[in-house]
Amino acid sequence: MLKGVLLFLSAASSLLPSAYGIPASVAFNKRAALDDWIANETSTALAGILANIGSTGAKSYGAGTGLVLASPSTTNPDYFYIWTRDSALVFKTLVDRFIASGDTNLQLEINDYISAQAKLQTVSNPSGVLSNGAGLGEPKFNPDGTAFTGDWGRPQRDGPALRATALIAYGRWLLSNGYSSAATNIVWPIVRNDLQYVAQYWNQTGFDLWEEVQGSSFFTTAAQHRALVEGSAFASAVGSSCANCDAQAPQVRCFLQQYWNGQFVVANINTNIGRSGKDVNAILASIQTFDPSAGCDDVTFQPCSPRMLANHKVVTDSFRTVYGTNNGIAAGEAVAVGRYPEDVYFNGNPWYLATLAAAEQLYSALHQITKAGSITITSTSLPFWKAIYSAAATGTYASSSSTFSALTSALTSYADGYTALVQKYTPSSGALAEQFDKSTGSPLSAADLTWSYAAFLTMASARSNTSLPASWGAAAANTLPTVCSPSSSSSGSYTPATDTSWPSFPCTPASSVQTTFNVLAPTTPGQDIYVVGSVAQLGGWDTASAVLLSADRYRSDMPLWYGSVVLAPGTSVEYKYIRKDAGGGVVWESDPNREFTVPGGCRSAAAVGDSWR
Ligand SMILES: *[C@@H]1O[C@H](CO)[C@@H](O)[C@H](O)[C@H]1NC(C)=O
Ligand SMILES: *[C@@H]1O[C@H](CO)[C@@H](O)[C@H](O)[C@H]1NC(C)=O
Ligand SMILES: *[C@@H]1O[C@H](CO)[C@@H](O)[C@H](O)[C@H]1NC(C)=O
């Protein structure tokens, strides 16, 4: 795949005019260097996601099967929970990768996730219960899938819409690959509840994706609109219908227009929060609403639409002066991007997923423009284009024109600038936290944020034009009712989804299994816990070669030590945990030896959970 991309680029690079007077060969070298880093980071990001998925992920101890931790971080901040939004965005990424790659290990994770959602929908929680839909708006659950009962910004109404979109993407694959009963009997009952929720509650306020503002959030409304449009088509495809989707989608679309103030998207309305309204919320929404088959449509806020390009400039410009990392970066060049300029969380810093989103919108726009074969610059998008190509003027430029080449070349360099900043602030381990420090650029806040890794993967797909999402029907969903009228759909019915018996899909047997040892072992400072056992990977019972476990998630109420080794499928091991003190003294746990047989199927991860004896 990478070879193909490089070939395409090297063939094309000699044709590209230079951007900002940089010779095309230099621009190409920059892009090639980014290609290398992206290839490396792609495997790190995928492994980073899988590590956080229960119950076998290397950092997932405590999470139920198919449930994805927002981050393994248990303190400052404690993100050791399951968020409906983050999980859906992560699994949408995995579904698109599975469809493009055929990686059956991913499919097993996807099936587990969907089975877990059937159960999660029925869990009564502080937002409510399933029977009237209200419980579906709960944003956050405990890692084992039970209700989180602490205070929180709830409900959050984007979760059901995003989950419907993730499940529909997989449902479409099932339908077109001969598994229509799984689509109909397993996926559709879950999706139906989520669609009913969206149709019933879209016209009520809730908390935004940053869990701070109670009002109406552009990201939420955009996600809801998409879900209703593709939900209607999916309903028909499984031999059912969604009358409420059909009735409400045009109204949600009508409402979506109210966020546009003529210059940018005001992220939160129906609230009075005293902010500028500039927020990466809307850039993330443009990723969520990206339809590779759509044009540069303003009504559905496509990535290449004049509105969304104008918004991109306004939002990214708002961060130029608030972060030290952006000092000295010229106008029209990429900057580090955070959530919104007034942010004070962890003192307000750039986020990896926000900077990646700024790149991804532009790559997706480039895809749409290339496909359309022309660029139309309007008075709305002119400031965006002028910033990256000073000679830009309103008009339509066909792909055969030199202006088109100059504009797409400038757009590519500009988008790569955002990716290069993420590379610059990513440590050599490739680990992606939530934020990076606005002055020093060092990683900050939650380590291994699952959404950061997913944001990297979707950026990389958009950049290389591979494993792109399927169309959701945006091109046919861009007409507006003459009058926006509030929702008239009252209640609907909600039914627990009970069928989670997946067919046995063909799968590729695992060649090796990452096996994680988790042990709850209270220790005092200076003491370390190791695992030692009968196979070479576990030191062959030699305490000097035992495997040191990590305590980076140790908490007094969860004294966890954990670590992974790679074992062959079917291997039987005997093992024990040992404790070494600072002076080198070794204490063995009590007899008998523990035993574990590595599974022999298609799964490439396994885990044990023990308590020190
Ligand atoms: C990619 O990974 C390889 C192997 O770990 C390393 O040698 C190389 O420097 C990395 N390249 C980049 C651009 O990070
Ligand atoms: C409900 O819909 C109407 C019509 O689009 C809109 O004016 C109003 O702001 C919406 N309210 C909420 C809370 O969504
Ligand atoms: C993306 O890739 C597809 C197939 O690989 C190709 O047909 C299409 O032209 C590419 N689009 C862009 C915008 O590069």
Side-chain angles (χ1 to χ4, degrees):
M1 168 189 96
L2 188 70
K3 274 216 174 87
V5 171
L6 286 169
L7 280 177
F8 163 77
L9 283 170
S10 54
S13 63
S14 59
L15 307 173
L16 295 178
S18 59
Y20 322 110
I22 299 170
S25 59
V26 174
F28 171 65
N29 287 340
K30 272 192 175 170
R31 186 154 173 103
L34 214 43
D35 288 341
D36 283 351
W37 177 71
I38 287 172
N40 279 10
E41 187 64 22
T42 295
S43 43
T44 307
L46 191 54
I49 290 176
L50 297 178
N52 294 351
I53 301 175
S55 57
T56 55
K59 297 184 177 177
S60 76
Y61 178 73
T65 302
L67 297 177
V68 49
L69 296 166
S71 152
S73 174
T74 51
T75 42
N76 190 34
D78 180 5
Y79 282 12
F80 192 60
Y81 292 97
I82 311 303
W83 269 267
T84 305
R85 166 183 43 259
D86 296 39
S87 304
L89 291 171
V90 164
F91 269 95
K92 172 66 165 51
T93 305
L94 295 187
V95 167
D96 288 341
R97 281 191 82 80
F98 159 66
I99 292 171
S101 69
D103 179 344
T104 57
N105 191 54
L106 293 182
Q107 185 178 22
L108 294 169
E109 302 277 358
I110 292 163
N111 296 343
D112 285 348
Y113 163 71
I114 294 174
S115 300
Q117 302 314 301
K119 174 83 199 317
L120 216 53
Q121 283 191 333
T122 66
V123 175
S124 301
N125 60 62
S127 292
V129 294
L130 176 64
S131 58
N132 64 0
L136 297 176
E138 180 67 4
K140 173 177 169 179
F141 292 84
N142 290 324
D144 63 358
T146 57
F148 168 74
T149 54
D151 284 345
W152 209 252
R154 58 169 69 91
Q156 295 176 21
R157 304 192 193 279
D158 54 347
L162 297 170
R163 179 166 54 199
T165 287
L167 266 62
I168 289 169
Y170 186 55
R172 282 191 291 249
W173 180 89
L174 291 170
L175 286 172
S176 51
N177 285 274
Y179 300 103
S180 53
S181 59
T184 307
N185 302 330
I186 304 176
V187 175
W188 169 240
I190 304 170
V191 170
R192 184 177 52 203
N193 287 334
D194 284 339
L195 294 176
Q196 178 53 38
Y197 178 87
V198 174
Q200 185 175 346
Y201 292 99
W202 70 267
N203 203 219
Q204 297 186 24
T205 58
F207 278 82
D208 72 329
L209 76 169
W210 308 134
E211 317 193 287
E212 294 172 345
V213 183
Q214 174 145 35
S216 299
S217 159
F218 182 76
F219 177 82
T220 300
T221 306
Q224 290 173 331
H225 175 245
R226 175 185 173 154
L228 293 178
V229 171
E230 64 186 342
S232 172
F234 185 62
S236 310
V238 295
S240 187
S241 63
C242 182
N244 286 341
C245 298
D246 297 333
Q248 298 305 316
Q251 289 304 326
V252 180
R253 183 151 71 238
C254 208
F255 177 44
L256 194 62
Q257 315 306 310
Q258 291 186 20
Y259 295 85
W260 175 250
N261 74 357
Q263 288 161 325
F264 64 94
V265 168
V266 179
N268 300 290
I269 61 174
N270 289 328
T271 184
N272 192 2
I273 184 95
R275 288 187 197 162
S276 62
K278 300 166 187 173
D279 193 315
V280 80
N281 171 320
I283 292 181
L284 289 164
S286 82
I287 294 175
Q288 180 63 20
T289 53
F290 169 51
D291 184 329
S293 302
C296 299
D297 183 3
D298 269 341
V299 169
T300 59
F301 292 87
Q302 289 302 308
C304 66
S305 65
R307 283 179 176 180
M308 275 317 212
L309 292 178
N311 179 75
H312 190 285
K313 172 167 161 48
V314 171
V315 171
T316 54
D317 279 352
S318 77
F319 297 104
R320 289 185 183 275
T321 53
V322 298
Y323 301 145
T325 50
N326 293 339
N327 282 347
I329 296 179
E333 285 183 26
V335 285
V337 179
R339 301 192 299 178
Y340 52 91
E342 302 88 352
D343 197 1
V344 293
Y345 182 56
F346 276 79
N347 288 322
N349 297 286
W351 284 39
Y352 291 100
L353 69 87
T355 309
L356 288 163
E360 183 174 341
Q361 183 195 328
L362 302 182
Y363 294 131
S364 298
L366 204 55
H367 177 85
Q368 293 179 314
I369 288 168
T370 308
K371 210 162 173 176
S374 68
I375 295 176
T376 297
I377 299 182
T378 68
S379 58
T380 302
S381 59
L382 183 61
F384 171 86
W385 288 109
K386 273 186 97 78
I388 63 168
Y389 182 72
S390 58
T394 55
T396 294
Y397 306 97
S399 59
S400 55
S401 67
S402 61
T403 305
F404 181 94
S405 306
L407 290 169
T408 51
S409 168
L411 187 58
T412 305
S413 301
Y414 185 49
D416 278 352
Y418 288 95
T419 307
L421 281 175
V422 172
Q423 175 188 16
K424 177 175 175 183
Y425 295 117
T426 298
S428 57
S429 66
L432 293 179
E434 180 182 69
Q435 312 179 22
F436 47 101
D437 188 280
K438 64 180 159 198
S439 308
T440 66
S442 304
L444 199 70
S445 182
D448 294 312
L449 190 82
T450 322
W451 187 357
S452 294
Y453 290 125
F456 173 84
L457 292 178
T458 53
M459 176 285 296
S461 294
R463 182 175 183 272
S464 65
N465 183 26
T466 51
S467 51
L468 289 182
S471 168
W472 57 271
N478 64 356
T479 54
L480 294 173
T482 43
V483 180
C484 290
S485 54
S487 171
S488 54
S489 110
S490 48
S491 56
S493 68
Y494 298 85
T495 311
T498 50
D499 187 348
T500 53
S501 47
W502 294 99
S504 55
F505 298 102
C507 66
T508 314
S511 55
S512 64
V513 178
Q514 185 189 48
T515 305
T516 302
F517 293 84
N518 299 286
V519 61
L520 299 178
T523 47
T524 56
Q527 297 179 329
D528 284 316
I529 301 291
Y530 292 71
V531 59
V532 66
S534 57
V535 293
Q537 293 90 335
L538 296 177
W541 291 124
D542 174 2
T543 58
S545 306
V547 177
L548 174 63
L549 302 183
S550 167
D552 66 359
R553 293 164 59 214
Y554 187 102
R555 219 163 56 169
S556 56
D557 62 340
M558 191 180 77
L560 177 66
W561 290 82
Y562 71 99
S564 303
V565 295
V566 174
L567 298 174
T571 310
S572 287
V573 297
E574 290 190 27
Y575 67 99
K576 263 187 179 174
Y577 298 100
I578 56 174
R579 189 173 66 222
K580 295 189 188 179
D581 61 32
V586 174
V587 176
W588 288 78
E589 60 172 354
S590 62
D591 283 337
N593 291 340
R594 299 178 185 270
E595 292 174 14
F596 178 67
T597 301
V598 180
C602 300
R603 293 187 186 256
S604 56
V608 296
D610 298 317
S611 291
W612 175 270
R613 293 185 312 227

